[in-house]
Amino acid sequence: MPTLNSNILVLAVCWLLATAGGVYMTFFHQPEHLETLKAEEQRIRGLLAQVSSLEEEEDNLRLMTAEAQRNWQANYKSIPDQMTSSSLVGTLNDLTQRGFDRFDVRVTGMQPAADHSYYTVNITGQGYFSSLYRFIWDIENNEHLYRIRDLNLGYTSVSKTNEETGAERMLIMVNFTMGLDAYFGASGSSAAVLTTEEGFERVRVSELPSNVLPTRQPKLNPFFPLVMSELPPNTNNLIDLDQAQLVGITGNEAMFLYQDEFQTVSMDAPVYLGRIIEIDPVKHRVVARLNKGGIIDEVELNLHTGERYRQAIGTMQLAPLEGSE
Protein backbone atom coordinates (compact mmCIF):
# COMPACT_ATOMS: atom_id res chain seq x y z
CA MET A 1 0.00 0.00 0.00
CA PRO A 2 1.41 3.37 -0.92
CA THR A 3 1.93 5.62 1.99
CA LEU A 4 0.96 9.26 2.35
CA ASN A 5 4.54 10.41 2.00
CA SER A 6 5.02 8.57 -1.29
CA ASN A 7 1.84 10.18 -2.68
CA ILE A 8 3.00 13.61 -1.66
CA LEU A 9 6.35 12.92 -3.25
CA VAL A 10 4.70 11.86 -6.53
CA LEU A 11 2.51 14.97 -6.54
CA ALA A 12 5.51 17.16 -5.83
CA VAL A 13 7.43 15.65 -8.69
CA CYS A 14 4.48 16.14 -11.07
CA TRP A 15 4.13 19.72 -9.94
CA LEU A 16 7.82 20.40 -10.52
CA LEU A 17 7.67 18.83 -13.97
CA ALA A 18 4.56 20.87 -14.89
CA THR A 19 6.13 24.07 -13.57
CA ALA A 20 9.37 23.42 -15.41
CA GLY A 21 7.47 22.75 -18.62
CA GLY A 22 5.43 25.92 -18.20
CA VAL A 23 8.54 28.00 -17.53
CA TYR A 24 10.24 26.56 -20.61
CA MET A 25 7.23 27.14 -22.84
CA THR A 26 6.68 30.67 -21.49
CA PHE A 27 10.24 32.00 -21.37
CA PHE A 28 12.01 30.00 -24.07
CA HIS A 29 9.82 28.25 -26.63
CA GLN A 30 6.88 30.71 -27.07
CA PRO A 31 8.99 33.91 -27.43
CA GLU A 32 11.02 32.29 -30.17
CA HIS A 33 7.88 31.11 -31.94
CA LEU A 34 6.27 34.54 -31.44
CA GLU A 35 9.24 36.27 -33.09
CA THR A 36 8.95 33.86 -35.99
CA LEU A 37 5.24 34.67 -36.34
CA LYS A 38 5.94 38.43 -36.16
CA ALA A 39 8.56 38.16 -38.87
CA GLU A 40 6.14 36.20 -41.06
CA GLU A 41 3.47 38.82 -40.41
CA GLN A 42 5.81 41.63 -41.43
CA ARG A 43 6.76 39.73 -44.59
CA ILE A 44 3.08 39.21 -45.49
CA ARG A 45 2.29 42.88 -44.77
CA GLY A 46 5.17 43.91 -47.05
CA LEU A 47 3.83 41.68 -49.81
CA LEU A 48 0.33 43.15 -49.40
CA ALA A 49 1.72 46.71 -49.52
CA GLN A 50 3.67 45.82 -52.64
CA VAL A 51 0.57 44.38 -54.26
CA SER A 52 -1.45 47.49 -53.37
CA SER A 53 1.29 49.72 -54.80
CA LEU A 54 1.35 47.67 -57.99
CA GLU A 55 -2.45 47.87 -58.28
CA GLU A 56 -2.35 51.65 -57.78
CA GLU A 57 0.42 51.97 -60.34
CA GLU A 58 -1.60 49.84 -62.75
CA ASP A 59 -4.63 52.11 -62.30
CA ASN A 60 -2.50 55.21 -62.91
CA LEU A 61 -0.98 53.68 -66.02
CA ARG A 62 -4.44 52.71 -67.26
CA LEU A 63 -5.65 56.32 -66.79
CA MET A 64 -2.55 57.69 -68.51
CA THR A 65 -3.05 55.32 -71.42
CA ALA A 66 -6.70 56.29 -71.78
CA GLU A 67 -5.78 60.00 -71.65
CA ALA A 68 -3.06 59.52 -74.25
CA GLN A 69 -5.48 57.66 -76.47
CA ARG A 70 -8.10 60.40 -76.13
CA ASN A 71 -5.51 63.08 -76.88
CA TRP A 72 -4.31 61.22 -79.94
CA GLN A 73 -7.80 60.58 -81.21
CA ALA A 74 -8.66 64.25 -80.68
CA ASN A 75 -5.60 65.35 -82.64
CA TYR A 76 -6.85 66.71 -85.94
CA LYS A 77 -3.80 68.84 -86.75
CA SER A 78 -1.25 67.77 -89.34
CA ILE A 79 1.75 69.52 -90.83
CA PRO A 80 2.23 68.98 -94.58
CA ASP A 81 5.60 67.95 -95.94
CA GLN A 82 5.62 70.76 -98.49
CA MET A 83 4.01 74.21 -98.79
CA THR A 84 4.48 77.06 -101.26
CA SER A 85 3.85 80.74 -100.64
CA SER A 86 1.38 80.83 -103.55
CA SER A 87 -0.68 77.97 -102.09
CA LEU A 88 -0.69 79.71 -98.70
CA VAL A 89 -1.90 83.00 -100.21
CA GLY A 90 -4.54 81.07 -102.18
CA THR A 91 -5.82 79.44 -98.97
CA LEU A 92 -6.09 82.83 -97.25
CA ASN A 93 -7.89 84.34 -100.25
CA ASP A 94 -10.39 81.45 -100.32
CA LEU A 95 -11.28 82.17 -96.67
CA THR A 96 -11.85 85.90 -97.25
CA GLN A 97 -14.06 86.05 -100.32
CA ARG A 98 -16.96 87.70 -98.47
CA GLY A 99 -17.33 90.22 -95.66
CA PHE A 100 -14.04 92.09 -96.24
CA ASP A 101 -13.69 95.52 -97.81
CA ARG A 102 -9.92 95.05 -97.92
CA PHE A 103 -7.66 92.08 -97.12
CA ASP A 104 -3.96 92.51 -97.92
CA VAL A 105 -1.48 89.64 -97.53
CA ARG A 106 2.31 89.98 -97.60
CA VAL A 107 4.58 86.94 -97.19
CA THR A 108 7.64 88.25 -95.35
CA GLY A 109 9.80 85.13 -95.41
CA MET A 110 10.35 81.48 -94.64
CA GLN A 111 12.00 80.40 -91.38
CA PRO A 112 13.77 76.99 -91.48
CA ALA A 113 14.36 75.03 -88.28
CA ALA A 114 15.86 71.66 -87.34
CA ASP A 115 12.59 69.72 -87.34
CA HIS A 116 10.17 72.06 -89.15
CA SER A 117 9.82 75.23 -91.21
CA TYR A 118 7.22 77.98 -91.39
CA TYR A 119 6.20 80.97 -93.50
CA THR A 120 5.67 84.35 -91.82
CA VAL A 121 2.85 86.50 -93.18
CA ASN A 122 1.68 90.05 -92.40
CA ILE A 123 -2.03 90.74 -92.90
CA THR A 124 -3.88 94.07 -92.88
CA GLY A 125 -7.43 94.84 -93.87
CA GLN A 126 -10.91 96.05 -93.09
CA GLY A 127 -14.14 94.09 -92.81
CA TYR A 128 -17.11 93.08 -90.72
CA PHE A 129 -16.28 91.82 -87.24
CA SER A 130 -18.31 88.63 -87.81
CA SER A 131 -16.36 87.89 -91.01
CA LEU A 132 -13.01 88.43 -89.26
CA TYR A 133 -14.16 86.19 -86.39
CA ARG A 134 -15.04 83.39 -88.85
CA PHE A 135 -11.68 83.79 -90.62
CA ILE A 136 -9.77 83.40 -87.34
CA TRP A 137 -12.01 80.44 -86.41
CA ASP A 138 -11.21 78.75 -89.73
CA ILE A 139 -7.48 79.38 -89.30
CA GLU A 140 -7.32 78.08 -85.73
CA ASN A 141 -9.49 75.02 -86.42
CA ASN A 142 -7.97 74.17 -89.78
CA GLU A 143 -6.48 70.72 -90.29
CA HIS A 144 -3.10 72.30 -90.97
CA LEU A 145 -1.16 74.11 -88.27
CA TYR A 146 -1.32 77.93 -88.35
CA ARG A 147 -0.59 80.45 -85.61
CA ILE A 148 -2.00 83.98 -85.42
CA ARG A 149 0.04 86.54 -83.47
CA ASP A 150 0.03 90.28 -82.74
CA LEU A 151 -3.65 90.77 -83.57
CA ASN A 152 -4.76 94.43 -83.39
CA LEU A 153 -8.34 95.60 -83.99
CA GLY A 154 -9.91 99.03 -84.31
CA TYR A 155 -13.45 100.34 -84.82
CA THR A 156 -14.43 102.25 -87.96
CA SER A 157 -17.71 103.37 -89.56
CA VAL A 158 -17.97 103.55 -93.34
CA SER A 159 -20.71 105.19 -95.43
CA LYS A 160 -21.34 103.50 -98.76
CA THR A 161 -23.75 104.12 -101.60
CA ASN A 162 -25.95 101.30 -102.84
CA GLU A 163 -25.16 100.88 -106.53
CA GLU A 164 -28.73 99.81 -107.34
CA THR A 165 -30.77 102.33 -105.32
CA GLY A 166 -28.22 105.13 -104.92
CA ALA A 167 -29.04 105.38 -101.19
CA GLU A 168 -26.32 105.72 -98.57
CA ARG A 169 -25.92 103.30 -95.71
CA MET A 170 -23.60 103.21 -92.70
CA LEU A 171 -21.44 100.13 -92.12
CA ILE A 172 -19.84 99.27 -88.76
CA MET A 173 -16.53 97.57 -89.55
CA VAL A 174 -13.11 96.89 -87.97
CA ASN A 175 -9.60 97.66 -89.16
CA PHE A 176 -7.15 94.89 -88.30
CA THR A 177 -3.51 93.89 -88.51
CA MET A 178 -2.04 90.52 -87.59
CA GLY A 179 0.84 88.16 -88.17
CA LEU A 180 0.43 84.55 -89.25
CA ASP A 181 2.83 81.60 -89.14
CA ALA A 182 2.13 78.61 -91.41
CA TYR A 183 4.06 75.44 -90.46
CA PHE A 184 5.24 72.70 -92.81
CA GLY A 185 8.00 70.14 -93.26
CA ALA A 186 7.87 68.59 -89.78
CA SER A 187 9.18 65.02 -89.80
CA GLY A 188 6.65 62.39 -88.76
CA SER A 189 3.67 64.75 -88.99
CA SER A 190 2.59 64.16 -92.55
CA ALA A 191 -1.12 64.47 -93.21
CA ALA A 192 -1.03 61.04 -94.86
CA VAL A 193 -0.02 59.28 -91.61
CA LEU A 194 -3.31 58.92 -89.76
CA THR A 195 -2.89 55.52 -88.05
CA THR A 196 -0.24 54.35 -85.57
CA GLU A 197 0.96 50.83 -84.86
CA GLU A 198 -1.35 50.74 -81.81
CA GLY A 199 -4.32 51.44 -84.07
CA PHE A 200 -5.11 54.90 -82.67
CA GLU A 201 -6.64 56.80 -85.57
CA ARG A 202 -6.60 60.58 -85.60
CA VAL A 203 -9.78 62.53 -86.21
CA ARG A 204 -10.19 65.03 -89.03
CA VAL A 205 -11.77 68.39 -88.26
CA SER A 206 -14.88 67.45 -90.25
CA GLU A 207 -15.41 64.44 -87.97
CA LEU A 208 -15.16 66.32 -84.67
CA PRO A 209 -18.40 66.81 -82.73
CA SER A 210 -19.52 70.43 -82.69
CA ASN A 211 -19.53 70.65 -78.89
CA VAL A 212 -15.73 70.27 -78.65
CA LEU A 213 -15.10 73.28 -80.91
CA PRO A 214 -15.81 76.94 -80.13
CA THR A 215 -18.84 78.49 -81.76
CA ARG A 216 -18.24 79.67 -85.34
CA GLN A 217 -20.52 82.70 -84.88
CA PRO A 218 -19.66 85.48 -82.39
CA LYS A 219 -22.21 85.95 -79.62
CA LEU A 220 -21.89 89.74 -79.80
CA ASN A 221 -20.03 92.45 -81.66
CA PRO A 222 -17.88 94.34 -79.13
CA PHE A 223 -17.12 96.99 -81.74
CA PHE A 224 -20.73 97.97 -82.33
CA PRO A 225 -21.15 101.16 -80.24
CA LEU A 226 -23.92 101.37 -77.65
CA VAL A 227 -24.39 105.04 -78.53
CA MET A 228 -23.37 106.01 -82.05
CA SER A 229 -21.64 109.31 -82.73
CA GLU A 230 -23.47 109.57 -86.07
CA LEU A 231 -26.95 108.47 -87.05
CA PRO A 232 -27.12 105.97 -89.91
CA PRO A 233 -28.30 107.35 -93.26
CA ASN A 234 -31.90 106.94 -94.35
CA THR A 235 -31.06 104.12 -96.72
CA ASN A 236 -34.65 103.06 -97.52
CA ASN A 237 -35.92 106.67 -97.76
CA LEU A 238 -38.42 106.20 -94.94
CA ILE A 239 -40.44 109.05 -93.42
CA ASP A 240 -38.20 111.23 -91.24
CA LEU A 241 -40.54 112.47 -88.50
CA ASP A 242 -38.25 115.43 -87.77
CA GLN A 243 -38.92 116.72 -91.27
CA ALA A 244 -42.45 115.40 -91.90
CA GLN A 245 -45.80 117.07 -91.12
CA LEU A 246 -48.83 115.17 -89.85
CA VAL A 247 -51.75 116.28 -92.03
CA GLY A 248 -54.48 113.74 -91.37
CA ILE A 249 -55.69 110.70 -89.42
CA THR A 250 -58.30 108.31 -90.79
CA GLY A 251 -59.11 105.32 -88.61
CA ASN A 252 -55.87 103.39 -88.02
CA GLU A 253 -53.84 105.26 -90.62
CA ALA A 254 -52.00 108.56 -90.54
CA MET A 255 -51.04 110.78 -93.46
CA PHE A 256 -47.78 112.75 -93.56
CA LEU A 257 -46.47 115.39 -95.90
CA TYR A 258 -42.82 114.48 -96.51
CA GLN A 259 -40.57 115.75 -99.28
CA ASP A 260 -43.56 117.36 -101.02
CA GLU A 261 -45.38 114.04 -101.16
CA PHE A 262 -48.30 112.65 -99.14
CA GLN A 263 -47.52 109.28 -97.57
CA THR A 264 -49.82 107.07 -95.47
CA VAL A 265 -48.62 104.81 -92.66
CA SER A 266 -50.41 102.39 -90.35
CA MET A 267 -49.73 100.89 -86.91
CA ASP A 268 -46.27 99.30 -86.53
CA ALA A 269 -45.16 100.78 -89.86
CA PRO A 270 -41.42 101.49 -90.15
CA VAL A 271 -40.19 105.07 -90.19
CA TYR A 272 -36.65 106.43 -90.17
CA LEU A 273 -34.93 105.12 -86.99
CA GLY A 274 -38.04 103.39 -85.62
CA ARG A 275 -41.70 102.42 -85.90
CA ILE A 276 -45.19 103.82 -85.33
CA ILE A 277 -46.53 102.54 -81.99
CA GLU A 278 -49.78 104.53 -81.61
CA ILE A 279 -52.34 106.25 -83.87
CA ASP A 280 -55.06 108.01 -81.84
CA PRO A 281 -57.85 109.54 -83.99
CA VAL A 282 -59.63 110.89 -80.89
CA LYS A 283 -56.69 112.90 -79.53
CA HIS A 284 -55.41 113.52 -83.07
CA ARG A 285 -51.89 112.32 -82.40
CA VAL A 286 -49.34 109.82 -83.65
CA VAL A 287 -46.58 108.33 -81.43
CA ALA A 288 -43.40 106.68 -82.76
CA ARG A 289 -40.57 104.93 -80.89
CA LEU A 290 -37.16 105.82 -82.37
CA ASN A 291 -33.66 104.47 -81.77
CA LYS A 292 -31.44 107.50 -82.23
CA GLY A 293 -28.08 105.81 -82.35
CA GLY A 294 -28.61 103.79 -79.15
CA ILE A 295 -30.86 106.34 -77.39
CA ILE A 296 -34.48 105.20 -77.31
CA ASP A 297 -36.97 108.07 -77.62
CA GLU A 298 -40.71 108.38 -78.18
CA VAL A 299 -41.83 111.17 -80.50
CA GLU A 300 -45.39 112.49 -80.45
CA LEU A 301 -46.86 114.38 -83.38
CA ASN A 302 -50.19 116.23 -83.07
CA LEU A 303 -52.57 117.02 -85.87
CA HIS A 304 -52.78 120.80 -86.49
CA THR A 305 -56.00 121.90 -88.23
CA GLY A 306 -55.74 125.66 -88.15
CA GLU A 307 -56.36 128.63 -85.85
CA ARG A 308 -60.12 128.71 -86.42
CA TYR A 309 -60.51 125.07 -85.32
CA ARG A 310 -58.43 125.63 -82.18
CA GLN A 311 -60.70 128.53 -81.16
CA ALA A 312 -63.66 126.13 -81.18
CA ILE A 313 -62.05 123.64 -78.84
CA GLY A 314 -63.66 123.79 -75.41
CA THR A 315 -66.30 122.24 -73.17
CA MET A 316 -69.19 123.12 -75.49
CA GLN A 317 -70.91 120.23 -77.28
CA LEU A 318 -73.10 120.41 -80.36
CA ALA A 319 -76.74 119.41 -79.93
CA PRO A 320 -79.41 118.76 -82.57
CA LEU A 321 -82.05 121.46 -83.22
CA GLU A 322 -85.45 121.00 -81.61
CA GLY A 323 -87.87 119.20 -83.81
CA SER A 324 -85.20 117.73 -86.04
CA GLU A 325 -84.92 114.05 -86.59
Side-chain angles (χ1 to χ4, degrees), residues 158-182:
V158 180
S159 295
K160 286 192 175 183
T161 302
N162 191 313
E163 297 180 356
E164 297 181 357
T165 63
E168 283 194 357
R169 57 176 182 165
M170 179 180 290
L171 305 177
I172 305 300
M173 310 183 84
V174 292
N175 294 319
F176 56 88
T177 62
M178 72 181 81
L180 184 141
D181 298 333

Side-chain angles (χ1 to χ4, degrees), residues 210-228:
S210 59
N211 60 346
V212 304
L213 295 175
T215 174
R216 198 168 184 267
Q217 298 292 336
K219 295 182 179 180
L220 55 88
N221 184 353
F223 293 92
F224 195 88
L226 298 178
V227 177
M228 302 177 65

